Amino acid sequence: MMEPSHLDLGTAEEECGDSAMGRVRRAYGNLAPGQRLEVVTGVAEHLFGIRAWSRRVGGEVVEERREGGRTRLVLRRPAPSAS
Amino acid sequence: MTEYAHPEVLVSTEWLAEHLEDPAVRILEVDWDPASAYGLGHLPSAALVDWKRDINDPVRRDILSRDQFVSLMERLGVTPDTTLVLYGDMRNWFAAFAFWTFRIYGHADIRLLNGGRRKWFEEDRPVTETVPDFATASYPAPEATTGLRQFLPGVRDILGRSDHGLIDVRSPAEFSGAISTPPEYQNEGAQRSGHIPGAVNIPWAQAIQEDDTFKPVDQLRELYQSRGVTPDKSIVTYCRIGERSAHTWFVLTYLLGYPRVANYDGSWSEWGNAVGVPVEKPGAEVPGSVPA
């Protein structure tokens, strides 16, 4: 299985760049179906947003683990269902 | 610990949790990116203020007009007696900008949620996707207060004056000119990078703690006064579009009680594009100069 793309939200917003969720959306948008995105953050607001947004776009949270005050959350972009 | 100069402009998450249904209080979430914040979940009974749509003129570059302000207040069911509690995405920058704007139009009782969305979510307090519906109110047209805002000619006039202070609240990389504008903000780009001559760089985030609440007053006083930003001077804050600098304007005005602080909302996206204004950029080569 391919290693997931990695996104650390630790310094999000410091330079008035994209919002944390904006960065997640952008990184997720670059995934091919079946690929995974690993997001690391210590901010509960980010986690709430990622989970809620993922539900809306049909993404899957395949892993969520707390590690030393931060949470590692892995999203998977689902493969399109056969019709 | 000494208290803030105007502690009444801050509310805690505990206070707000007890006033979620208070009819005298209107809770407003001010977002730059509502789809990534308010739209995914917000405080119960909070209404959305979309920074781009509601706080700015839709055509020219300016804050909302007096008539637009009145319309906004009336749509939100706000009267001049309503207590406004503001919080929002991007660590309260845009809430602070709204605070500044609403103060320009003279709304009396405005408060900022100390710690904002980040602290509310950290404490696992209730969140909803339900959008409240308020009956339209009547809001008489106010007079605008002019002293809270600075424009480019006014900034140019104070360059080099010892009775004025300029604070650039952007990141050190932006201040030095190493970066100008993140690629995702193309409409905030500048022709030149660097900073306004004489400005001191005190990034906005140095005023807050890990949980986004403001630092104690003693630490704030030390932070600014050690860099020459003292209350005897007229202070101008700026950043790139005026929202991070609204946060620092709030700190200096209400937490430290500085009497003359103005926010230059044109900020670097105006100054860095203006023809003929001086720019300081350490280490930059000057065309025509001979290298040593």
Side-chain angles (χ1 to χ4, degrees), chain B residues 115-274:
Chain B
R117 269 178 71 93
R118 185 167 291 198
K119 189 161 195 288
W120 188 271
F121 280 86
E122 201 64 50
E123 294 170 348
D124 203 20
R125 294 186 182 275
V127 177
T128 182
E129 291 181 31
T130 304
V131 175
D133 191 21
F134 300 113
T136 304
S138 178
Y139 200 104
E143 290 302 320
T145 308
T146 54
L148 312 183
R149 193 177 191 195
Q150 189 56 276
F151 296 91
L152 187 146
V155 176
R156 195 158 40 188
D157 286 347
I158 65 171
L159 295 182
R161 285 179 54 174
S162 60
D163 57 343
H164 284 70
L166 258 176
I167 312 181
D168 184 321
V169 311
R170 297 175 299 164
S171 64
E174 291 170 286
F175 181 79
S176 70
I179 64 169
S180 174
T181 311
E184 58 268 20
Y185 291 86
Q186 288 180 0
N187 62 347
E188 295 176 18
Q191 290 287 318
R192 294 290 182 268
S193 61
H195 58 264
I196 301 174
V200 292
N201 183 212
I202 308 178
W204 72 277
Q206 292 186 12
I208 58 172
Q209 308 181 97
E210 186 70 20
D211 64 355
D212 277 8
T213 58
F214 291 100
K215 285 180 175 172
V217 69
D218 294 347
Q219 291 180 31
L220 292 175
R221 197 175 291 125
E222 166 66 17
L223 171 66
Y224 294 102
Q225 294 195 2
S226 67
R227 304 293 308 279
V229 179
T230 49
D232 56 310
K233 297 176 182 170
S234 295
I235 306 297
V236 174
T237 62
Y238 77 92
C239 57
R240 195 168 70 234
I241 57 169
E243 88 297 3
R244 284 176 288 180
S245 51
H247 192 276
T248 299
W249 167 87
F250 176 88
V251 171
L252 294 173
T253 303
Y254 293 103
L255 305 188
L256 292 179
Y258 282 29
R260 292 176 303 281
V261 187
N263 182 25
Y264 169 38
D265 57 310
S267 280
W268 194 256
S269 57
E270 180 179 44
W271 193 274
N273 282 311

Side-chain angles (χ1 to χ4, degrees), chain A residues 63-80:
Chain A
E63 192 180 331
E64 186 169 336
R65 196 167 63 219
R66 189 100 175 139
E67 294 169 346
R70 307 185 79 202
T71 299
R72 176 179 174 274
L73 189 144
V74 180
L75 299 174
R76 193 176 79 91
R77 183 170 191 149

